[in-house]
Amino acid sequence: MGSVNGLTNIRGKQPLFSFGVISDVQYADIPDGRSFIGIPRYYRHSVLVLERAVKHWSQLNRLRFAINFGDIVDGFCPKDQSLSSVKKMVSEFEKFNGHVYHMIGNHCLYNLPRNELLPLLKIPSIEGSAYYEFSPTPEFRFVVLDGYDISAIGWPQDHPKTLQAHQFLREKNPNIDMNSPNGLMGLERRFLMFNGAVGKEQLDWLDQILKDATMLNQKVVVCCHLPLHPGAISEEALLWNCDEVMEVIHGYKCVKVCLAGHDHKGGHSVDSHGVHHRVLEAALECPPGTDAFGYIDVHEDRLSLVGTGKMESSELHFTLP
């Protein structure tokens, strides 16, 4: 069990509610390997991290729900095992004594197309979309974005969104291997095939949700597999049109925190409008016997992330109107 980093002294007040968090489990029944930059990855051990997370969340006996921030299985998972591996991981999540909300990541889509994946993850969908929202209490609303709405993976190859993604990448990335950032500078390094974008219809939906939340005086937590702000992580992990999404978010004062995965080392920053961006450390990169998961206590004026193992604890304070 990881340290709670001295958080107990500010925990006098009971939270409004609490929920579990984990990201980038990326299970595969294959030997350990390394990322393209040489970081060790523990494909078989990651399911044990998930098992311990679910057990811990359930033992707390006070979590309202849990959120999986995507990449439930790894792209190196043998394709004849993709379906069974996703089902195996879903069954582990279902051992939690509360509801689990999922979102899709690039590794999910390397394994299964959307029309197979979304029903398995019980993601509400219209015409293959994977964005939705929910309100655990009247004071808070959670928005789950589909960061691969416009993507070169997951949709049929002749789908308009696939074609739009390929056209976008051809304009932005000169490399033959469009997962390579060679020659791209600064924020341009996000224009890689393993990332994606939020489409116009989803942007309009987000705008309407935030308008509604403002009218209801709700605080909003935005969740997406892909990070939305460069201050928290490396440029290569960002949503393609993070600027457009943040322009919508900054048009309102209701969004307090953006949570994400994808960049395995994790990170935290606060943007120019006071919005927290917390990227969660990956379960995949935990050596045997170590963990990366946590739970978040939600208070009126902050989110308190209590991390276990490699997931660092964080206090995300925000101003009240």
Side-chain angles (χ1 to χ4, degrees), residues 7-163:
L7 299 181
T8 52
N9 62 334
I10 58 173
R11 285 178 177 268
K13 192 173 181 181
Q14 286 291 103
L16 298 172
F17 62 93
S18 305
F19 63 97
V21 291
I22 195 168
S23 190
D24 297 271
V25 177
Q26 290 182 223
Y27 168 75
D29 187 13
I30 58 175
D32 295 341
R34 292 181 179 272
S35 70
F36 64 93
I37 58 172
I39 297 172
R41 293 184 163 182
Y42 305 93
Y43 298 108
R44 291 187 175 119
H45 177 253
S46 65
V47 69
L48 302 179
V49 178
L50 175 57
E51 287 176 2
R52 291 191 288 266
V54 169
K55 183 178 181 181
H56 182 64
W57 297 336
S58 297
Q59 287 176 340
L60 288 170
N61 203 34
R62 64 180 182 85
L63 302 190
R64 186 76 60 90
F65 56 91
I67 303 179
N68 162 40
F69 281 81
D71 282 357
I72 196 169
V73 290
D74 194 83
F76 284 128
C77 177
K79 295 304 167 279
D80 61 347
Q81 298 177 24
S82 289
L83 181 59
S84 62
S85 295
V86 170
K87 287 182 175 180
K88 174 184 174 73
M89 302 310 285
V90 169
S91 70
E92 290 300 329
F93 275 106
E94 289 178 345
K95 293 175 183 177
F96 171 56
N97 59 1
H99 187 78
V100 178
Y101 294 96
H102 293 277
M103 64 196 77
I104 55 174
N106 52 309
H107 284 268
C108 305
L109 297 172
Y110 296 149
N111 280 274
L112 293 175
R114 284 172 174 262
N115 63 334
E116 292 183 44
L117 185 65
L118 300 188
L120 290 170
L121 300 178
K122 297 182 174 64
I123 294 177
S125 177
I126 299 174
E127 297 182 347
S129 67
Y131 55 90
Y132 58 97
E133 51 91 20
F134 62 96
S135 294
T137 67
E139 302 94 338
F140 274 85
R141 183 177 294 199
F142 284 67
V143 175
V144 178
L145 297 180
D146 180 354
Y148 292 89
D149 186 11
I150 308 300
S151 172
I153 51 177
W155 298 101
Q157 284 305 299
D158 59 351
H159 194 283
K161 292 188 175 184
T162 307
L163 301 177

Side-chain angles (χ1 to χ4, degrees), residues 36 169 172-184 188-194 236:
F36 64 93
L169 284 169
K172 299 290 187 180
N173 189 329
N175 295 298
I176 295 174
D177 175 7
M178 289 191 178
N179 278 323
S180 170
N182 288 343
L184 300 177
E188 293 178 348
R189 295 174 70 83
R190 72 186 188 272
F191 300 132
L192 306 173
M193 190 176 286
F194 57 69
E236 291 90 342

Side-chain angles (χ1 to χ4, degrees), residues 208-229:
Q208 187 57 50
I209 292 294
L210 299 186
K211 185 180 298 182
D212 186 55
T214 300
M215 291 177 60
L216 294 172
N217 198 29
Q218 292 176 316
K219 303 173 189 70
V220 177
V221 178
V222 173
C223 304
C224 184
H225 179 68
L226 291 163
L228 305 177
H229 187 255

